Amino acid sequence: MLPNLIKHILSSEAQSREVEVYGWVRTKRDMKNLVFLEVNDGSCFTSIQCAFDRSFGFDAKTEAALCSVTTGASVKISGKLVPSPAAGQKVEVAAFSLTVLGEAPAETAGDIKAYPLQKKRHSLEYLREIAHLRPRTNTFSAVARLRSRAAFIIHRYFQERDFHYLHTPVITSGDCEGAGAMFQVTTLEPSASAPDYSNDFFGRKTFLTVSGQLEAETYATAISRVYTFGPTFRAENSNTARHLAEFWMVEPEVAFAELKDDMALAEDFLKYTIKAVLSECADEIAFFNTHIEKGILENLHHVAEARFTHITYTDAVKELERTAAKNKSLFEFEPRWGCDLQSEHEKYLTEKIAEGPVIVTDYPKEIKAFYMKQNDDGKTVRAMDVLVPRLGEIIGGSQREDNLEKLILRMKETGLRHDDYNWYLDLRRYGTVVHSGFGLGFERFIQYITGMANIRDVIPYPRAAGQAYF
Ligand code: 4AD
Ligand code: MG
């Protein structure tokens, strides 16, 4: 039998039954005859109050533990669950024994520093420096619980709709996004100036994957509906609040689906997951709404019900140009057809023009990946990005190029050696089909739903340029 979780103890009826509490001490109040310990085990926000009444007399071991126990120590407490006279809690523990399982010194002694999470508010920047201890705080335990539940909800969404969970490789030899921002994987000595990769471990140059899409396409064009959900890696040196070098991506891929089906799937998927998180993580969302981003609860409810605005890239740029002409100092970067939308443009589109999520479609082919289906105008591709207020791009997707000749030509134009992608081109040689998919950045989704400003605070161990400690 596993030990009780505080979450379950708190929600049970106080019938003077005996309970054992395991957790870490959040606070201690010693009032001569009465000692109160607030104990938390991260199963929920609320700590359980354990009251030690000295007038009953404790054994010497418990008495010594009561004197020495400090914030951060791990403890085992036995007592009776009784109705609580204190406001805000139904039950508390009338405790009769305390064992300190692991101390957490309040003062620095030799090599061991004082427990760094004393009872006060710590900045998120400070907590990033002690990433291994931050799940002991309310904010990070809430993120961890919500993140776990959100992953489960995402699996449920796809599994209930006959999508198969596909495990795509972490090590690949291709560059799916064609952006060249890849981490190389090699066992060769770093000193070699012109390394011969035929001597490398895999006999060729290999990288950490930037996306599981190409591999997902091969399975979608065989078993119809698949999705991946795994780590992806990008060596972009962008030090922003929404980029990581290692992040988790959810990538559905659907055979016989066009761009419009893909957009409908993305909208339905986002709304479902938002609604489910709001209802299944209600305590966590209430916390984020109070302490992190006021109004987020109402905003997310609105998003889950509203229709997403659709606009082509060309029309979006026209709108932005009109706005920029009227207010010259509004944007740092001038909106111009052919350039990528900057995050200030994405913010303006979602927050000021649409006042909600926007799906931008049909981007210029030059700023998108080689695999996207080309439109008849010869200039644009069937791409779609879902942009949301506060954050900008949360989903990127497209219909895929299913025409072999066009795909080979595009690969040549973008400098990809199509010989390396013969396996991928075979999908267009044998039984090619219209197919589409998208990628959701899981951390961006968690950021969006929690209101956490920095993406490094929604993943347990953030990886970014210059940051791989822990
Ligand atoms: O737009 P991206 O690059 O699209 C793809 O990788 C496609 N292969 C997806 C597909 O069609 N199957 O990335 C998809 C999403 C972005 O919209 C963003 O949410 C997230 O992944 N993303 C990042 N998240 C955190 N850090 C980064 N460096 C990210 N780069 C992309
Ligand atoms: Mg993108």
Side-chain angles (χ1 to χ4, degrees):
M1 277 289 281
L2 297 175
N4 272 324
L5 290 174
I6 289 173
K7 165 187 171 175
H8 296 142
I9 298 176
L10 283 172
S11 62
S12 60
E13 291 301 317
Q15 291 162 329
S16 281
R17 68 180 178 94
E18 282 194 17
V19 287
E20 278 182 348
V21 173
Y22 292 86
W24 293 266
V25 174
R26 281 281 175 91
T27 57
K28 169 182 170 184
R29 279 178 299 146
D30 195 335
M31 296 148 68
K32 261 200 164 148
N33 258 350
L34 268 179
V35 183
F36 291 106
L37 295 184
E38 297 278 347
V39 180
N40 188 284
D41 68 354
S43 61
C44 59
F45 283 107
T46 322
S47 301
I48 194 161
Q49 171 151 291
C50 301
F52 294 81
D53 187 345
R54 283 195 168 109
S55 55
F56 295 130
F58 293 122
D59 60 50
K61 240 181 76 198
T62 292
E63 188 49 52
L66 272 178
C67 292
S68 70
V69 71
T70 51
T71 295
S74 53
V75 293
K76 175 185 169 191
I77 291 166
S78 307
K80 273 194 175 151
L81 195 63
V82 297
S84 175
Q89 53 192 31
K90 224 170 62 184
V91 293
E92 65 177 40
V93 176
F96 44 72
S97 105
L98 168 68
T99 310
V100 174
L101 303 171
E103 293 174 3
E107 318 259 318
T108 297
D111 282 348
I112 301 188
K113 293 214 173 79
Y115 181 59
L117 291 174
Q118 296 304 330
K119 176 91 188 161
K120 62 167 188 158
R121 253 176 186 257
H122 298 283
S123 75
L124 298 174
E125 290 76 20
Y126 168 71
L127 292 171
R128 240 171 267 149
E129 290 168 18
I130 50 165
H132 60 306
L133 292 174
R134 58 184 191 171
R136 300 247 189 116
T137 66
N138 283 339
T139 303
F140 287 91
S141 58
V143 169
R145 288 191 298 268
L146 186 143
R147 194 183 152 105
S148 163
R149 190 71 193 187
F152 174 70
I153 288 166
I154 287 171
H155 280 293
R156 190 174 71 210
Y157 178 85
F158 288 119
Q159 294 285 336
E160 285 179 350
R161 285 157 185 78
D162 295 302
F163 282 75
H164 305 288
Y165 180 27
L166 181 72
H167 300 96
T168 48
V170 166
I171 299 173
T172 58
S173 58
D175 179 4
C176 171
E177 292 307 299
M182 298 191 293
F183 291 101
Q184 199 179 337
V185 176
T186 179
T187 53
L188 293 177
E189 284 301 316
S191 56
S193 55
D196 177 2
Y197 289 108
S198 62
N199 294 328
D200 203 351
F201 188 89
F202 296 104
R204 55 167 61 236
K205 219 170 165 179
T206 50
F207 308 92
L208 295 179
T209 187
V210 296
S211 156
Q213 180 198 317
L214 304 189
E215 293 87 349
E217 281 184 55
T218 69
Y219 272 74
T221 55
I223 59 172
S224 295
R225 294 183 190 178
V226 298
Y227 70 104
T228 73
F229 191 168
T232 47
F233 306 85
R234 303 219 176 156
E236 310 163 283
N237 204 346
S238 41
N239 224 331
T240 78
R242 42 177 226 151
H243 285 91
L244 288 164
E246 177 177 309
F247 63 99
W248 285 64
M249 200 170 7
V250 180
E251 296 184 273
E253 191 69 32
V254 190
F256 311 104
E258 300 174 15
L259 187 67
K260 68 173 173 28
D261 307 314
D262 201 32
M263 285 160 39
L265 176 69
E267 180 167 343
D268 185 62
F269 164 70
L270 270 182
K271 287 178 171 172
Y272 173 94
T273 41
I274 289 171
K275 266 191 240 172
V277 172
L278 289 181
S279 97
E280 293 168 39
C281 302
D283 289 349
E284 284 74 19
I285 295 287
F287 173 88
F288 293 115
N289 192 49
T290 311
H291 297 286
I292 301 292
E293 173 84 27
K294 294 214 167 34
I296 198 169
L297 179 60
E298 203 189 306
N299 176 260
L300 289 171
H301 272 299
H302 170 73
V303 167
E305 299 303 335
R307 254 191 75 83
F308 290 10
T309 302
H310 292 193
I311 189 169
T312 63
Y313 167 89
T314 302
D315 285 345
V317 170
K318 275 188 200 150
E319 282 277 356
L320 292 166
E321 279 172 343
R322 258 200 296 275
T323 308
K326 273 190 259 163
N327 185 347
K328 298 234 177 311
S329 58
L330 184 65
F331 298 127
E332 188 186 340
F333 298 93
E334 208 180 309
R336 192 181 304 144
W337 201 96
C339 298
D340 225 343
L341 296 178
Q342 298 292 324
S343 70
E344 56 176 351
H345 304 148
E346 295 179 345
K347 259 176 104 70
Y348 192 84
L349 282 174
T350 52
E351 291 170 14
K352 297 286 189 286
I353 296 183
E355 295 180 15
V358 179
I359 309 186
V360 182
T361 59
D362 304 287
Y363 282 78
K365 64 178 181 192
E366 282 76 20
I367 57 172
K368 289 292 182 189
F370 72 93
Y371 52 70
M372 295 189 181
K373 174 95 187 147
Q374 294 172 43
N375 280 319
D376 293 337
D377 63 11
K379 289 190 275 188
T380 57
V381 285
R382 316 215 113 173
M384 64 108 181
D385 278 5
V386 182
L387 315 179
V388 291
R390 287 188 276 118
L391 200 67
E393 182 189 338
I394 192 165
I395 281 179
S398 65
Q399 186 172 324
R400 319 307 188 188
E401 184 54 81
D402 49 285
N403 178 294
L404 180 64
E405 283 73 40
K406 282 190 178 166
L407 186 56
I408 292 179
L409 196 66
R410 192 72 198 124
M411 291 176 97
K412 282 189 182 143
E413 282 169 5
T414 54
L416 288 177
R417 283 161 38 119
H418 73 271
D419 277 352
D420 291 346
Y421 293 85
N422 259 322
W423 62 275
Y424 180 68
L425 293 171
D426 274 351
L427 306 182
R428 279 73 179 168
R429 292 189 182 111
Y430 311 119
T432 189
V433 291
V434 167
H435 62 290
S436 305
F438 64 79
L440 166 87
F442 187 52
E443 285 73 22
R444 297 236 179 127
F445 176 72
I446 302 295
Q447 254 191 301
Y448 183 56
I449 233 171
T450 57
M452 294 294 282
N454 196 314
I455 198 165
R456 295 174 200 205
D457 295 332
V458 297
I459 186 164
Y461 291 97
R463 298 284 178 256
Q467 192 178 34
Y469 184 55
F470 305 109

